[in-house]
């Protein structure tokens, strides 16, 4: 009989595998209710689930873990979807995903040496000494696009630039000047920077004015203040950092007695489930997260099989999802 896995605990608890990982590894700083934590722990105990990676590592010198290193980012629907899809893809090969959030001062070397992962996936570039040490230790190291040499964090990301460009191209169909809804959380600034740069490039190419950038918190008051300011400048199209911020802009538009898209068109990013339920339904840029998860899993499995042949890169998978808000 097969042993109990984290997937079994997740299914019985009615939560995602990522949530199970966070609860059972004692992760702090994640918004998981005490009721959910209690249910997951009780389900794990009832089913008799116990991680066995340590025992396998002692026998083989390598565990069945794929370690995902998250920087100090807020954990939202996109990251949850990517991690869940990655776990699904790898579970068929007996591999489990362990998520580590990069808060705190614990050295990365202490972590990977303790769990001896088969592969490490970094959601942001590693320090050169960490990268070299892991590879010398025989650990497969990947970025989220599977790149061998991760780009410098100060350089613009081509995928993030393209996101902003897709937003601007859509909005410019009906708007002559754009606003950009900047996220209130400072941890998102690096992504917002590159997406805004993509919007700016399209404005420059079309000979249009620079977008007017205003911060938008996830509350009606903040959003309404921004919409009022944009309206005073004649702005009729807003590119939002992501769907959460875009939904706030929609709420601010309604609070100001305006209509979307007639008075102000809005485009978000991520295509979260709430986007299609908004009024009006939100036009957004999808990042095709499941495609990226399948590619990462295929890279790990190719190394496991020793085939020496990596799967072809599927591309960024970015595409505009057209709905009623723009």
């Amino acid at each position: 009989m097969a042993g109990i896995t984290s997937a079994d605990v997740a299914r019985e608890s009615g939560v995602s595998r990522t949530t199970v990982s966070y609860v059972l590894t004692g992760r702090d700083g994640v918004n998981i209710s005490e009721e959910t934590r209690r249910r997951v722990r009780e389900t794990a105990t009832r089913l008799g689930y116990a991680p066995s990676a340590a025992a396998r590592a002692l026998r083989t010198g390598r565990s069945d873990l794929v370690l995902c290193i998250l920087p100090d980012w807020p954990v939202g629907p996109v990251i949850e979807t990517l991690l869940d899809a990655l776990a699904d893809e790898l579970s068929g090969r007996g591999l489990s995903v362990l998520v580590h959030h990069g808060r705190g001062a614990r050295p990365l070397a202490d972590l990977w040496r303790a769990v001896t992962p088969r592969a490490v996936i970094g959601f942001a570039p590693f320090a050169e000494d960490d990268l070299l040490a892991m590879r010398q230790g025989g650990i497969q190291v990947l970025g989220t696009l599977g790149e061998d040499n991760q780009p410098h964090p100060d350089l613009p990301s081509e995928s993030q630039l393209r996101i902003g460009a897709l937003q601007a191209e859509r909005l410019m169909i009906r708007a002559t000047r754009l606003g950009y809804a900047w996220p209130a959380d400072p941890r998102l600034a690096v992504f917002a920077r590159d997406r805004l740069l993509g919007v700016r490039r399209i404005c420059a190419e079309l000979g249009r004015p620079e977008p007017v950038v205003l911060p938008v918190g996830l509350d009606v008051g903040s959003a309404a203040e921004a919409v009022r300011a944009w309206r005073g400048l004649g702005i009729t199209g807003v590119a939002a950092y992501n769907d959460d911020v875009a939904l706030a802009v929609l709420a601010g538009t309604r609070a100001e007695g305006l209509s979307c898209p007639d008075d102000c068109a809005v485009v978000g990013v991520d295509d979260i489930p709430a986007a299609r339920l908004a009024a009006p339904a939100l036009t957004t840029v999808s990042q095709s997260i499941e495609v990226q998860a399948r590619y990462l899993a295929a890279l790990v499995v190719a190394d496991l099989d020793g085939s020496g042949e990596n799967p072809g890169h599927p591309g960024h998978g970015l595409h505009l999802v057209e709905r009623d808000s723009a």
Side-chain angles (χ1 to χ4, degrees):
M1 178 179 177
I4 299 298
T5 68
S6 61
D8 299 318
V9 177
R11 186 165 47 252
E12 285 288 318
S13 304
V15 299
S16 70
R17 265 188 218 174
T18 305
T19 298
V20 170
S21 174
Y22 286 160
V23 172
L24 297 184
T25 57
R27 264 285 314 281
D28 295 324
V30 180
N31 188 21
I32 300 173
S33 71
E34 284 305 315
E35 171 59 24
T36 298
R37 291 177 186 271
R38 180 192 60 76
R39 186 168 73 250
V40 169
R41 293 189 189 104
E42 289 180 356
T43 301
T45 300
R46 175 167 53 82
L47 295 178
Y49 171 75
S52 56
R56 278 187 288 277
L58 288 173
R59 293 197 305 268
T60 66
R62 301 176 80 185
S63 73
D64 63 359
L65 296 175
V66 174
L67 179 61
C68 293
I69 307 294
L70 299 183
D72 186 15
W73 297 341
V75 177
V78 174
I79 297 297
E80 284 270 7
T81 298
L82 177 57
L83 294 173
D84 270 356
L86 182 61
D88 285 340
E89 292 290 329
L90 292 173
S91 63
R93 294 302 299 265
L95 297 171
S96 299
V97 171
L98 176 65
V99 179
H100 175 72
H101 208 291
R103 294 190 180 106
R106 182 182 184 183
L108 177 59
D110 289 352
L111 177 64
W112 66 259
R113 286 177 176 136
V115 301
T116 58
R118 183 171 295 277
V120 174
I121 299 173
F123 283 65
F126 294 113
E128 284 297 325
D129 54 347
D130 283 329
L131 187 61
L132 179 61
M134 286 187 286
R135 287 178 171 160
Q136 288 177 337
I139 296 173
Q140 182 190 22
V141 184
L142 302 170
T144 52
L145 295 177
E147 63 269 54
D148 287 328
N149 296 305
Q150 297 180 337
H152 193 281
D154 291 338
L155 297 177
S157 159
E158 288 301 320
S159 62
Q160 301 302 312
L161 291 174
R162 183 57 184 151
I163 285 172
L166 285 169
Q167 290 180 291
E169 288 166 355
R170 178 64 178 185
L171 289 165
M172 284 299 188
I173 293 174
R174 61 189 306 144
T176 57
R177 190 177 188 189
L178 303 184
Y180 189 86
W182 187 272
D185 192 328
R187 294 175 296 175
L188 300 172
V190 65
F191 299 106
R193 174 201 69 184
D194 292 350
R195 294 177 188 182
L196 174 58
L197 181 55
V199 173
R200 283 176 166 152
R201 286 184 176 180
I202 295 301
C203 291
E205 288 175 9
L206 297 178
R208 305 290 177 82
E210 278 262 316
V212 176
V213 183
L214 293 175
V216 174
L218 300 184
D219 62 273
V220 176
S222 170
E225 182 180 352
V227 169
R228 193 158 54 247
W230 283 320
R231 182 72 171 171
L233 295 171
I235 287 169
T236 55
V238 173
Y241 165 73
N242 66 4
D243 287 347
D244 287 336
V245 176
L247 293 174
V249 173
L250 290 182
T253 301
R254 289 192 296 272
E256 289 296 298
L258 302 174
S259 173
C260 177
D262 295 334
D263 296 316
C264 183
V266 180
V267 178
V269 181
D270 290 338
D271 195 23
I272 63 175
R276 69 203 70 170
L277 304 176
L282 184 64
T283 296
T284 184
V285 177
S286 169
Q287 300 192 61
S288 301
I289 295 300
E290 291 83 357
V291 173
Q292 188 165 305
R294 285 196 294 271
Y295 174 62
L296 284 173
L299 287 173
V300 174
V301 169
D303 181 71
L304 178 67
D305 291 341
S307 64
E309 294 184 8
N310 285 338
H313 196 290
H316 295 302
L318 301 171
H319 63 278
L320 188 76
V321 181
E322 299 181 17
R323 297 196 181 101
D324 297 333
S325 71

